[in-house]
């Protein structure tokens, strides 16, 4: 699968809330690193995200392909995520997802990168203050 095909398959599955389609892109045991949910197995992250989503509209802005320092395939997907929470509250953001891939092209780890300045307050108003994850340094 090309980076563009992977990006379209991933964003399409996210937009439709299709758990099987999204998890089908991952190797078993794949991990998601999210600024709101923290690090968690993909099989736990996506059900939580879909439960917290009233509507999702995603617009692909670009993709890149490269390698990690250890030589593993790497794809980045830059997109706009118009995320509406179940209450109807918008929590939109622009995002870069960095996908570490296995040799078979399936995702082993996803690193979600975006500024949570608008999404975090909306998410915590919906779920309760302190409900989002914060890194400990």
């Amino acid at each position: 699968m090309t980076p563009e095909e992977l990006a379209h398959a991933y964003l399409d599955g996210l937009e439709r809330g299709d758990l099987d389609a999204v998890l089908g892109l991952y190797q078993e045991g794949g991990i998601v690193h999210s600024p709101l949910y923290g690090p968690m197995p993909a099989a736990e992250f996506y059900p939580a995200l879909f439960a917290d989503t009233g509507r999702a509209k995603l617009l692909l802005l670009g993709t890149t392909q490269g390698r990690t320092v250890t030589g593993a395939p790497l794809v980045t997907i830059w997109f706009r995520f118009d995320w509406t929470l179940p209450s109807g509250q918008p929590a939109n953001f622009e995002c870069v997802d960095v996908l570490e891939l296995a040799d078979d092209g399936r995702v082993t780890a996803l690193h979600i990168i975006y500024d949570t300045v608008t999404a975090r307050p909306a998410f915590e108003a919906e779920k309760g203050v302190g409900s989002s994850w914060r890194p400990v340094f």
Side-chain angles (χ1 to χ4, degrees), residues 55-75:
R55 186 183 71 80
K57 181 70 178 157
L58 295 100
L59 175 64
L60 179 63
L61 300 171
T63 62
T64 62
Q65 182 175 0
R67 298 224 168 251
T68 66
V69 295
T70 61
L74 193 68
V75 169

Side-chain angles (χ1 to χ4, degrees), residues 19 21 40 83 97 113-114:
L19 184 61
M40 59 193 317
W83 187 30
D97 281 1
I113 303 166
Y114 66 95

Side-chain angles (χ1 to χ4, degrees), residues 1-135:
M1 188 178 302
T2 68
E4 291 78 17
E5 291 169 337
L6 176 57
H8 285 290
Y10 176 64
L11 295 181
D12 180 62
L14 278 180
E15 190 169 274
R16 292 183 294 112
D18 186 335
L19 184 61
D20 290 336
V22 173
L23 290 180
L25 299 172
Y26 279 80
Q27 276 199 333
E28 187 173 332
I31 301 292
V32 175
H33 301 269
S34 164
L36 285 183
Y37 295 86
M40 59 193 317
E44 295 175 21
F45 171 77
Y46 290 103
L49 175 65
F50 294 156
D52 291 336
T53 300
R55 186 183 71 80
K57 181 70 178 157
L58 295 100
L59 175 64
L60 179 63
L61 300 171
T63 62
T64 62
Q65 182 175 0
R67 298 224 168 251
T68 66
V69 295
T70 61
L74 193 68
V75 169
T76 60
I77 303 171
W78 173 32
F79 61 99
R80 176 165 172 86
F81 193 157
D82 291 332
W83 187 30
T84 304
L85 302 172
S87 67
Q89 175 70 31
N92 305 329
F93 53 90
E94 200 169 291
C95 183
V96 174
D97 281 1
V98 180
L99 293 77
E100 294 180 57
L101 305 178
D103 290 336
D104 68 1
R106 292 190 299 155
V107 180
T108 60
L110 168 67
H111 303 269
I112 303 170
I113 303 166
Y114 66 95
D115 185 347
T116 62
V117 69
T118 57
R120 188 178 305 275
F123 182 80
E124 288 189 344
E126 183 97 3
K127 301 283 288 184
V129 173
S131 59
S132 66
W133 175 85
R134 285 177 171 74

